[in-house]
Amino acid sequence: MNAIAFTSADTAPTPAANRAPAVKIGLDNLDFYYGRTHALKGVSLGFNDGEITAIIGPSGCGKSTLLRTINRIFELYPGQRATGTITLDGRNILEPAFSLSELRARVGMVFQKPTPFSLSIHDNVAFALRHYERLSRAEERERVETSLRQAALWDEVKDKLNVSALALSGGQQQRLCIARALAVRPEVVLLDEPTSALDPISTAKIEELLVEQAANFTFIIVTHNLQQAARLAHRTAFLLDGQLVEIGDREQIFVNPQNSRTRDYVTGRFG
Amino acid sequence: MDATALPVPRPVAAHAESPLPARRLSDGGGDRVFAGITRTAAWGVFLLLIGIAGSMFWGGRQAFQTFGLHFLISDAWDVGRDQYGALIPIFGTLASSAIAMLIAVPTSFGIAVFLAEVAPRWVRSPIAIAVELLAAVPSIVYGMWGLFFFAPVMSARVEPWLIAHVGPLPILGPLFQGAPIGIGMLTAGIILAIMIIPFISSVMRDVFQAIPPALRESAFALGATPWEVVRRVTLPHTRSAVVGAVFLGLGRALGETMAVTFVIGNSFNFSKSLLAPGNSIASAIANEFAEAEGLHRSALIAIGFLLFVVTFIVLAIAKLMLARLSRTEGRAA
Amino acid sequence: MIIAPGLLARRKTVNVIALIAATATTVFGLFWLAWILWTTFSQGAAALSPRLFTEMTPPPGSEGGLLNALFGSFVMVALGVVIGTPIGVLAGTYLAEYGRASKLANTIRFVNDILLSAPSILIGLFVYELVVAQQGHYSALAGGIALAIILIPVVVRTSDEALRLVPNQMREAALALGVPQWKVTTRIIYRAGVTGIMTGILLAVARISGETAPLLFTALGNQYWSADLNAPMANIPTAIYNYANAPQDEAHVLAWAGAFVITAFVLLLNIVVRFFLRTRTPR
């Protein structure tokens, strides 16, 4: 049972611009509680702008929980709370004073299960757009097209934008959800196991679009698929029992982990 | 596409195509308003119940003050002399409902068992739908049918038979005396029964269907007959809810107006016989309220308040019993 | 394990007897349904004529129609829907979206269910005290309000259930876009739960269409045509009540005609709702 078949012939990418990537989102000593259950314990790490960062770990390790703190979607449920700091471009978003509306405009989210709204394809994508910006019909159509292209869905739906989104296949619906999230031009996009419910072809399409768009956004993707993390991510964070064990680039995490627990997980000794 | 192709990070050029869009951000004001509106509507429901109770009490206060507790046990009802007592309407309500329950509960239970265990699959849906449609028929239609078609049958066949055969018997005898006029407490009770049968059997059926199939299946696997499954698995599991269904039916029966008004006879003379005309709270109000004034009116509202209290208690018990089923569901697993 | 043959035979006999009894009671129950419906339709069909829909209600004993009563019922049911639906849907929204499983929400659900089964004549008395006594006269408006009060608990319950069926992921997906909760509820969640909500409204309409008691002291009834919301207005249930109680046979004929119309309407609505939307009544 080998993990990721990498040889050192697969070179790590050399950045064209030789400067340290900027930290877009920083977590500092983040703790999270479901009622009395302590789900995240003192997590500190940074997500770089223009990169895809993957979060991996066994079931129940807190990776989805961590994702859900970044856009404060957990606030929907009483009894769930976070302490510590999460900064977006240096400003702490956990402060009540930080506008939820601004946060969610700048940090988008795609969920595991595709959830199209009971609206047309066009209206799905334009939904949040209409709330945030005042656009003319033509501008709106242009933005919808751009997002659908970014989500690699345009060619398949361009003739049926007025059709209900519920008529699309699972893979198409998920790409629609991605287009919907991208339409608002967020700076960060959180993806919670976006392809785990999809077939391999849809998965491949979505991975492709993530790679293509990586430089335009900060993608943070939670996945239980180690191969996917290795394929996509510039850096990968390994979480275990609510704690950050290790974070590094693919060479480090998948080939030469510094922590024995990381090696155990990545080589499949537990998971 | 090569599955191991590595994404090459291009130079970090944040959002080169366009600057950050100018966005209208919301401040939560709309949320507060909407939440407030919904909360007001919800409280409105609450206030409605209190309002009904309160206005009944207020309208009846003159009667309560005038007659005091004696009101509850007095069988007077004399508009001319302004003397009123709640006993006859209360008795009528309780007696007609009791007759109704005696007939309706076993019948409803039988229908629920039939639908659960006896009926072949293809017959279940049509019959269940038929039963539910019966529940939708407006009560005034029951009243009319009762007056024009059922009462004559009672008068011509059933009541003479009862008077002749049950009248002479001890204990039960006194209940079946008098002239067979067809309208009266018994007829009202029977029509009430027919009205609430579909209601109770639907609730019972819902309750039976909520049992985890695994419970029933394992009983069958052990060799139990269908009836034994009902007696030893279904009923014990749903006991509270079945009682709840019965109380729900009782609550409906107590407050029913139109089905009863046509056939109860509207008489304030107290009689032990079920064949004699009587009055229920709802039918008394329906018949006399329009022309009533002053103390008379207050007395009618006062008995309305009593009806409200009794119905409230019965329905509250019903809800609590029905709620038990969903709670034991969680624990049984 | 050897089963004693005598015991098995006895158990089987008991079983057969019980199941026969169950079948018998079902036949018994359905017998009444058949008789009542047959009566209504045969009596009513005999009384049907185009005149029903073109002439006004006559004094008992004369010939006439039910036009003003049909109109009045339509107006008051519509009033009931217009007044009661927003309150019902909003209250149901509170229970499903804000209160959820809190103590307050469950208390309101409890109270709502009691209102659902409360005697409708008491609701009529309540509206009498609240509206008619204050205004000094009967009115169609009061009738509409009474019907609204009967409609509200039904709509609250079905809206609550319909909205709770909408999966939470949809709420999260919409909120994650940064759209405020009220917009999410009204634009997305309502649309997702619209079938359930519509069903509830239609079932409630079927219920209030047939109610007589609450109209007796609010809208009263009117022998003549009236479109004045502030005056008594004719309606089918009270027309039936008056004609059925009258001594003349011609009056009874008209009463059956009214009964036929109302029963057919209510049954049709129920069949349409249950058959095409596949839902069960709130109890």
Side-chain angles (χ1 to χ4, degrees):
Chain A
M1 176 175 10
N2 77 19
I4 321 296
F6 268 142
T7 66
S8 48
D10 292 321
T11 46
T14 33
N18 248 327
R19 55 168 199 224
V23 173
K24 186 71 177 172
I25 298 225
L27 272 52
D28 187 18
N29 210 18
L30 178 68
D31 282 272
F32 190 87
Y33 300 88
Y34 288 104
R36 269 188 285 205
T37 312
H38 195 174
L40 291 177
K41 303 163 186 163
V43 176
S44 300
L45 67 114
F47 300 96
N48 297 331
D49 195 4
E51 286 188 356
I52 302 178
T53 312
I55 306 179
I56 60 172
S59 259
C61 68
K63 42 190 205 295
S64 278
T65 309
L66 190 144
L67 208 66
R68 292 161 66 86
T69 59
I70 301 178
N71 69 349
R72 282 162 65 182
I73 197 78
F74 66 86
E75 285 180 0
L76 191 54
Y77 305 96
Q80 297 185 13
R81 67 181 204 287
T83 59
T85 315
I86 301 180
T87 57
L88 170 65
D89 283 343
R91 288 164 59 205
N92 182 12
I93 60 129
L94 283 182
E95 263 169 29
F98 197 105
S99 152
L100 206 53
S101 175
E102 181 188 343
L103 174 64
R104 292 183 182 161
R106 298 173 62 187
V107 178
M109 191 163 190
V110 176
F111 298 80
Q112 179 174 357
K113 189 166 174 290
T115 41
F117 302 143
S118 317
L119 302 168
S120 69
I121 294 174
H122 175 98
D123 287 341
N124 258 274
V125 180
F127 177 67
L129 206 49
R130 287 180 187 150
H131 171 71
Y132 284 120
E133 301 178 45
R134 185 135 274 152
L135 299 172
S136 69
R137 278 257 189 98
E139 284 170 339
E140 184 181 289
R141 260 179 285 150
E142 203 188 299
R143 289 282 289 273
V144 167
E145 181 180 334
T146 309
S147 308
L148 286 171
R149 281 187 190 280
Q150 282 177 321
L153 189 60
W154 175 251
D155 287 327
E156 290 166 56
V157 302
K158 63 178 184 246
D159 296 324
K160 45 180 184 168
L161 290 176
N162 286 324
V163 165
S164 164
L166 302 172
L168 297 174
S169 74
Q172 289 173 321
Q173 286 181 356
Q174 188 66 309
R175 277 177 283 150
L176 178 67
C177 294
I178 294 176
R180 190 171 69 191
L182 295 181
V184 194
R185 296 218 193 115
E187 297 155 46
V188 179
V189 182
L190 311 171
L191 302 116
D192 192 351
E193 307 211 26
T195 59
S196 65
L198 304 179
D199 59 277
I201 297 181
S202 306
T203 302
K205 285 202 176 132
I206 290 181
E207 288 186 9
E208 207 180 312
L209 80 88
L210 287 177
V211 166
E212 270 174 21
Q213 297 294 327
N216 298 329
F217 303 91
T218 304
F219 286 129
I220 305 176
I221 175 167
V222 162
T223 179
H224 65 260
N225 183 336
L226 297 176
Q227 285 88 341
Q228 182 177 73
R231 278 194 294 273
L232 298 181
H234 295 86
R235 297 199 311 151
T236 303
F238 172 54
L239 237 62
L240 186 59
D241 271 335
Q243 287 175 304
L244 175 68
V245 174
E246 190 173 344
I247 179 168
D249 61 20
R250 65 166 58 86
E251 174 78 32
Q252 176 187 336
I253 296 286
F254 296 104
V255 182
N256 255 331
Q258 293 176 341
N259 191 303
S260 63
R261 286 175 296 168
T262 315
R263 178 176 307 117
D264 287 346
Y265 181 69
V266 156
T267 56
R269 287 186 72 185
F270 74 95
Chain B
M1 171 196 133
D2 181 358
T4 55
L6 310 171
V8 178
R10 283 163 242 157
V12 177
H15 318 283
E17 342 96 54
S18 60
L20 280 176
R23 298 190 185 103
R24 285 181 315 195
L25 300 177
S26 41
D27 59 351
D31 278 342
R32 277 190 292 275
V33 168
F34 186 70
I37 294 176
T38 60
R39 196 176 307 123
T40 309
W43 275 104
V45 170
F46 197 73
L47 289 176
L48 214 49
L49 191 75
I50 297 186
I52 294 174
S55 86
M56 297 285 101
F57 185 73
W58 184 250
R61 80 194 180 288
Q62 192 186 359
F64 287 130
Q65 279 166 353
T66 312
F67 302 109
L69 277 179
H70 185 69
F71 187 63
L72 292 173
I73 50 177
S74 159
D75 68 350
W77 197 274
D78 192 332
V79 182
R81 273 185 267 158
D82 248 6
Q83 286 293 318
Y84 306 103
L87 184 65
I88 291 177
I90 293 178
F91 174 71
T93 301
L94 293 178
S96 57
S97 301
I99 297 171
M101 297 305 285
L102 271 171
I103 300 174
V105 172
T107 313
S108 308
F109 181 67
I111 295 179
V113 169
F114 176 81
L115 288 172
E117 302 294 343
V118 179
R121 221 153 268 280
W122 59 271
V123 125
R124 265 180 218 186
S125 238
I127 294 194
I129 293 179
V131 168
E132 285 203 12
L133 288 182
L134 187 52
V137 173
S139 54
I140 192 170
V141 174
Y142 282 92
M144 276 187 67
W145 167 83
L147 178 63
F148 292 118
F149 286 86
F150 188 63
V153 170
M154 287 293 285
S155 163
R157 307 274 173 90
V158 182
E159 287 183 0
W161 187 92
L162 284 171
I163 294 171
H165 292 88
V166 186
L169 300 176
I171 306 178
L172 278 184
L175 291 177
F176 297 94
Q177 303 292 337
I181 43 176
I183 55 176
M185 205 77 74
L186 181 64
T187 311
I190 295 177
I191 295 184
L192 212 50
I194 301 171
M195 252 207 83
I196 60 175
I197 284 173
F199 186 70
I200 301 181
S201 61
S202 292
V203 180
M204 278 189 186
R205 182 165 177 253
D206 282 348
V207 162
F208 286 175
Q209 283 190 319
I211 301 176
L215 276 179
R216 282 181 66 239
E217 286 165 13
S218 26
F220 278 117
L222 286 171
T225 65
W227 172 242
E228 282 168 350
V229 170
V230 170
R231 245 189 88 200
R232 304 218 184 266
V233 175
T234 310
L235 266 188
H237 189 89
T238 60
R239 202 188 346 248
S240 302
V242 166
V243 173
V246 169
F247 271 84
L248 211 54
L250 177 61
R252 282 279 168 108
L254 290 170
E256 184 45 53
T257 317
M258 297 324 289
V260 168
T261 308
F262 279 101
V263 294
I264 199 165
N266 301 310
S267 151
F268 274 101
N269 291 319
F270 186 79
S271 164
K272 263 183 302 195
S273 170
L274 293 177
L275 302 184
N279 226 335
S280 76
I281 296 178
S283 58
I285 297 174
N287 277 307
E288 304 196 357
F289 190 80
E291 280 102 32
E293 296 181 306
L295 190 58
H296 185 193
R297 170 165 289 183
S298 178
L300 287 169
I301 299 180
I303 57 176
F305 177 73
L306 294 173
L307 178 64
F308 181 83
V309 170
V310 172
T311 317
F312 181 89
I313 294 175
V314 167
L315 290 174
I317 295 177
K319 282 248 35 131
L320 289 171
M321 298 260 118
L322 283 168
R324 284 231 200 125
L325 179 66
S326 25
R327 264 184 277 146
T328 50
E329 282 286 287
R331 268 189 269 130
Chain C
M1 187 180 97
I2 301 175
I3 304 168
L7 177 61
L8 182 59
R10 189 161 63 95
R11 284 169 54 212
K12 281 192 173 163
T13 317
V14 166
N15 182 57
V16 167
I17 294 177
L19 298 186
I20 290 180
T23 314
T25 54
T26 309
V27 169
F28 175 73
L30 291 181
F31 162 71
W32 300 108
L33 166 73
W35 188 3
I36 293 173
L37 284 184
W38 168 251
T39 307
T40 311
F41 287 122
S42 61
Q43 296 293 314
L48 277 188
S49 79
R51 220 197 318 204
L52 226 53
F53 303 98
T54 54
E55 292 186 23
M56 306 299 165
T57 49
S62 315
E63 303 270 312
L66 291 172
L67 182 58
N68 52 340
L70 286 166
F71 175 73
S73 274
F74 173 76
V75 165
M76 286 188 274
V77 167
L79 256 182
V81 170
V82 163
I83 298 175
T85 305
I87 300 177
V89 171
L90 285 171
T93 306
Y94 172 79
L95 292 176
E97 302 288 320
Y98 297 93
R100 281 180 244 154
S102 71
K103 280 225 169 82
L104 175 64
N106 282 334
T107 308
I108 294 183
R109 287 187 181 104
F110 183 83
V111 165
N112 187 66
D113 280 348
I114 291 187
L115 260 180
L116 198 83
S117 297
S120 56
I121 192 163
L122 297 183
I123 293 178
L125 281 185
F126 172 64
V127 177
Y128 176 87
E129 294 281 303
L130 207 64
V131 180
V132 179
Q134 301 301 322
Q135 286 191 321
H137 57 83
Y138 298 98
S139 64
L141 182 62
I145 293 176
L147 292 184
I149 296 179
I150 299 180
L151 176 132
I152 286 175
V154 179
V155 173
V156 168
R157 172 123 172 211
T158 47
S159 303
D160 178 22
E161 289 177 350
L163 292 175
R164 271 187 297 160
L165 277 178
V166 176
N168 243 359
Q169 288 109 313
M170 194 168 282
R171 285 181 188 88
E172 286 193 4
L175 288 170
L177 288 167
V179 176
Q181 181 157 19
W182 71 269
K183 258 196 200 175
V184 169
T185 305
T186 55
R187 305 257 170 97
I188 305 291
I189 308 299
Y190 277 169
R191 207 177 291 250
V194 74
T195 313
I197 297 178
M198 283 306 309
T199 305
I201 297 174
L202 289 176
L203 287 178
V205 166
R207 167 132 177 231
I208 63 176
S209 304
E211 286 279 352
T212 319
L215 296 178
L216 289 176
F217 321 123
T218 49
L220 198 65
N222 194 331
Q223 200 199 313
Y224 305 104
W225 172 270
S226 166
D228 183 4
L229 287 182
N230 251 323
M233 193 181 278
N235 54 81
I236 297 282
T238 42
I240 297 176
Y241 184 59
N242 291 327
Y243 286 135
N245 276 320
Q248 301 91 337
D249 280 339
E250 295 88 345
H252 299 168
V253 165
L254 220 42
W256 280 114
F260 176 86
V261 170
I262 202 88
T263 308
F265 175 70
V266 164
L267 286 183
L268 226 57
L269 201 49
N270 267 282
I271 290 175
V272 161
V273 166
R274 285 172 219 277
F275 210 54
F276 290 116
L277 298 178
R278 301 228 166 123
T279 46
R280 320 259 302 147
T281 349
R283 290 175 222 294

